[in-house]
Amino acid sequence: MPHRAINGKPVNPIGLGCMSLSWGYGALPERKTAIALLNRALDLGYNHLDTANIYGLGHNETLMGEALKGRRNEFFLATKMGIVIEGEKRGIDCSPASIRRCIDESLTRLQTDHVDLYYMHRRDRTVPIEESVGAMAELVKEGKIGSIGLSEMSADTLRRAAAVHPIAAMQTEYSPWTREPEIAVLDACRELGTTFVAFSPVARGVLANGVRDVAALADNDLRRTMPRFNGDNWPANRALVDAFCTIAADCGVTPAQLSLAWVLSRGDHIVAIPGTASIGHMEENFAQADWTIPADVAARIDALINQHTVAGPRYGEAMQRTIDTEVFGDGWIDG
């Protein structure tokens, strides 16, 4: 498939988000299954893997380090820092001291001497973005990180950061049912030469037709805390998904493949990192990566699923306050 690039390095347009191997969506896969999934991904041609220090409180990085330590030169490795979890308490710390401590801890868990991309997972409003980026720039000079990324931040923050050091990537949720990047960030990324990395490009499994009954989700599934899945909003959203699945069937692709193709069609500076704990779903996500969505099909999706038709914001108020992305001004409070 045609490659895209992050920091000038070629990557396949579909990478692998690794979070769900360690946290987030209910029961975790057995360790041997997770290790098999990571290696199968590389065998298929995935060459961009994304993790973070908080996924499973270090479990995800440790898993990847153990599973792939003999294959480090086969993939572009990204991880993140900045979110701090202590028991039930969650905070953000992007101070220079924390950035330096966290990269060393991550490198140890990942069993490598460098990562290709290091993200600030959230904006720390107590530390100027310029100061945090300056600390990360020092890590670039030292060879511990290849490039700098931001996650869930605004176009204005991106521009301020880029004035200090080139920003290789901006990672934010993006799919037909989460459109906020279209307000400003996609254009800012194109302007600055920053790759936009779309997480949850199949809408947290929804546009893969992976959620039929919200009541069946595990108690520890993070989607249970999201307004779009509550009793008021889910029936309307489920109807949108049913119509979306019909479009996918008309195209001869799966719903997940249709959603991924839609995301990638929004610009050649965009890559997607769908996550899964299923080897079958991982293979499915990659199987039609070279399929180009027809313009008329993209238009049907745009008319069906957008910021006016999706019911509810993606985050509740508490989580919304932790992110820095633009919001729509028409009553939608999605971030």
Side-chain angles (χ1 to χ4, degrees):
M1 68 189 71
H3 284 91
R4 299 190 179 185
I6 302 176
N7 192 37
K9 295 188 175 184
V11 295
N12 284 323
I14 295 176
L16 181 65
C18 298
M19 182 186 79
S20 55
L21 298 176
S22 301
W23 176 79
Y25 296 110
L28 301 181
E30 293 184 2
R31 191 172 191 83
K32 64 180 181 180
T33 300
I35 291 173
L37 185 150
L38 290 168
N39 281 279
R40 174 63 174 155
L42 296 189
D43 292 343
L44 284 175
Y46 279 90
N47 60 5
H48 170 201
L49 274 57
D50 181 274
T51 182
N53 63 352
I54 67 157
Y55 296 163
L57 299 180
H59 175 275
N60 203 244
E61 290 182 328
T62 299
L63 172 70
M64 293 177 66
E66 294 177 358
L68 303 175
K69 60 185 176 182
R71 307 185 69 174
R72 177 64 185 88
N73 63 347
E74 297 181 37
F75 61 97
F76 184 96
L77 175 60
T79 192
K80 313 175 194 73
M81 59 75 197
I83 299 178
V84 178
I85 298 177
E86 297 176 353
E88 296 299 316
K89 183 179 178 181
R90 174 179 290 215
I92 300 173
D93 186 354
C94 294
S95 63
S98 179
I99 290 170
R100 183 165 290 278
R101 181 182 69 255
C102 287
I103 186 58
D104 289 339
E105 292 171 349
S106 289
L107 293 176
T108 296
R109 287 189 291 263
L110 289 163
Q111 299 191 41
T112 185
D113 61 357
H114 77 286
V115 297
D116 299 291
L117 175 61
Y118 197 43
Y119 288 100
M120 200 180 311
H121 210 158
R122 294 291 186 273
R123 180 179 172 184
D124 185 342
R125 298 181 188 276
T126 70
V127 180
I129 190 69
E130 294 84 357
E131 186 175 334
S132 298
V133 172
M136 297 173 80
E138 289 299 314
L139 298 180
V140 174
K141 291 179 181 178
E142 295 170 18
K144 291 184 176 182
I145 69 175
S147 57
I148 297 172
L150 306 178
S151 176
E152 295 275 44
M153 299 191 199
S154 67
D156 178 69
T157 300
L158 172 59
R159 290 191 174 93
R160 287 175 55 190
V164 176
H165 189 279
I167 303 301
M170 171 69 82
Q171 183 174 146
T172 296
E173 183 175 355
Y174 188 43
S175 73
W177 90 334
T178 295
R179 299 297 194 97
E180 283 72 17
E182 296 173 2
I183 298 172
V185 164
L186 287 179
D187 287 342
C189 286
R190 185 181 291 107
E191 169 193 331
L192 296 168
T194 297
T195 302
F196 182 89
V197 180
F199 79 79
S200 294
V202 295
R204 301 187 184 276
V206 170
L207 295 183
N209 200 25
V211 183
R212 300 296 303 180
D213 179 8
V214 172
L217 296 176
D219 290 343
N220 63 341
D221 191 308
L222 61 85
R223 288 169 291 194
R224 282 188 169 274
T225 69
M226 296 176 173
R228 292 182 179 176
F229 297 89
N230 68 27
D232 293 331
N233 295 321
W234 179 245
N237 291 332
R238 176 70 253 176
L240 294 177
V241 174
D242 290 341
F244 182 83
C245 291
T246 297
I247 297 175
D250 290 344
C251 293
V253 296
T254 69
Q257 291 164 354
L258 180 62
S259 190
L260 288 167
W262 181 93
V263 169
L264 295 176
S265 75
R266 313 307 275 194
D268 58 11
H269 65 308
I270 298 171
V271 299
I273 51 168
T276 181
S278 161
I279 292 176
H281 290 163
M282 180 270 294
E283 293 173 339
E284 173 191 339
N285 290 339
F286 210 64
Q288 294 287 344
D290 57 351
W291 180 71
T292 300
I293 187 171
D296 64 318
V297 174
R300 286 176 65 189
I301 294 170
D302 289 341
L304 174 68
I305 304 178
N306 57 62
Q307 68 268 30
H308 304 292
T309 63
V310 174
R314 65 180 172 122
Y315 288 140
E317 291 184 10
M319 184 63 73
Q320 178 66 33
R321 287 193 292 269
T322 71
I323 62 175
D324 179 45
T325 51
E326 290 83 2
V327 297
F328 288 104
D330 60 356
W332 239 49
I333 61 168
D334 195 336

